[in-house]
Amino acid sequence: MDDERVIEQGQHLSEELAEQRQRAGRKRFWCPVDLRARIVAYAVTCSADGESHRRIAERLGMRQRTLSRWIRMWRQAGAGVRAVAIVP
């Protein structure tokens, strides 16, 4: 995935996460399953290109520990997460 698309897709996912946090207000933040799945797919793709979870999480505006946990959970659940090309 080229750098421009990585940044653009990461920005879009980051904005969606921020919107979900804002909607949650003071309640405990909860991320919808479809958004979480897209974030995991994005992170797996970036990881396949050699990028660290820390750097991916920073781009998305989330904790690295949370991102790594989501990836691990998806793999353990056998959700079939695999690297994909993200196109506009």
Side-chain angles (χ1 to χ4, degrees):
M1 189 178 338
D2 67 51
D3 289 340
E4 187 175 312
R5 279 194 285 174
V6 168
I7 293 168
E8 184 179 315
Q9 185 67 21
Q11 181 65 34
H12 180 71
L13 290 169
S14 175
E15 289 169 2
E16 286 187 66
L17 271 174
E19 184 179 310
Q20 289 298 322
R21 282 188 193 103
Q22 187 175 15
R23 284 184 188 167
R26 301 199 96 184
K27 295 183 252 178
R28 184 182 168 122
F29 172 67
W30 180 81
C31 184
V33 174
D34 65 315
L35 177 55
R36 189 180 296 200
R38 288 185 286 130
I39 289 170
V40 169
Y42 173 78
V44 168
T45 300
C46 292
S47 293
D49 289 340
E51 198 167 358
S52 70
H53 288 178
R54 180 188 56 78
R55 185 172 170 146
I56 298 164
E58 286 174 359
R59 183 181 312 121
L60 296 173
M62 62 186 300
R63 293 181 180 168
Q64 179 268 322
R65 186 172 36 182
T66 301
L67 178 63
S68 295
R69 186 180 72 241
W70 288 0
I71 293 169
R72 189 173 51 252
M73 287 170 46
W74 243 261
R75 286 183 176 152
Q76 288 173 352
V81 174
R82 59 182 168 80
V84 296
I86 300 174
V87 296

